[in-house]
Amino acid sequence: MVDAESFIDDAVEEIREAVGEEHAVIALSGGVDSSVAAALAYEAIGDQLTPVYVDTGLMREGETEQIRDTFSYMDSLRVVAAEDRFLGALEGVTDPEEKRKVIGEQFIREFEREAKESDAEYLVQGTIYPDRIESEGNIKSHHNVGGLPDVVDFEGIVEPVRDLYKDEVREVARELGLEEIISERMPFPGPGLAVRVIGEVTKEKVEVARAACHVVEEEVEEHDPWQAFAAVIGKGTGVKGDNRVHGWIVSVRSVESRDGMTARAQELPWETLQRIQSRITGENENVARVVYDVTHKPPATIEYE
Ligand code: XMP
């Protein structure tokens, strides 16, 4: 485990030295990694940093407001409302890797525009150690690694948390005084809720997934999983009132892990599972069925796509 206090001093110094008098830009995702990288960079270079948050429409419930709130002390923060453009680009796309690619490319387009406007010579990224390993091993395409530097011509890239594991990043977040909702927030994939709906990404499916994820996060919090969420995995028959309906099937997943590379499905109490089921089907009349995923990683991945 890192010594968070001295890590922060070193990281701030490293960023200051790397960026000097120039400008830097960072893509904030709402997650703990980029939040910590941004907080470190802001401490190092203040308003020479432009933090950019792209609201893809694929974020968790309340995430955009949370970002505005948490980082309101950064005068240079830019929030880009891009939901329509992301959903438009994803229309008709069903292949999982293609989805990631489309989102990655759209993200780059949005970010590139902001980066050019800010005249930044440096890119700060919240890449952590497991991201680098998975990307180097080509296990999946991470849109938050690589990509950006290829399009925008940066003088340099600064990755202050590149050698840390997730639990170490959280430790640093706490030491930095970031709010609990950020420091303790579960990991969330770069492509967002798009990988929590199987098949084409539609506004309706994303909204079902977002609301269901929120219920799961609230209900399992006391069991302290490494990651827990819900995904829309298809449609099936159910009965609502006196009618048979063809509604969404929502799968609930809660796993224990250290770094996401392997994971164990969590043994949740039946009452918790039933409460989740009852809230998800009760809050959305188009959800007909809720299932619990008992598969470890491997053989399953944590996310569904
Ligand atoms: P999988 O589904 O591959 O996920 O078992 C392992 C961990 O990585 C997260 N994940 C991502 N994180 N960009 C990210 O930053 C991505 O493209 C991405 N895909 C998956 C996932 O939520 C889990 O924590």
Side-chain angles (χ1 to χ4, degrees), residues 78 102 120 126 128 157 162 191 205 276 282:
R78 294 186 191 208
V102 167
I128 65 170
I157 299 165
R162 66 184 171 273
K205 277 154 99 175
I276 290 172

Side-chain angles (χ1 to χ4, degrees), residues 100 131 134 139-144 187-191 195-196 226-227 259-261 297 300-305:
R100 282 174 182 274
D131 296 341
E134 291 216 338
I139 296 170
K140 66 174 169 277
S141 44
H142 268 271
H143 90 241
N144 48 351
F188 188 62
V195 292
R196 295 184 180 172
W226 190 75
Q227 192 168 12
D259 51 25
M261 292 201 246
K297 173 185 181 179
T301 51
I302 295 177
E303 302 290 343
Y304 280 76
E305 288 196 333

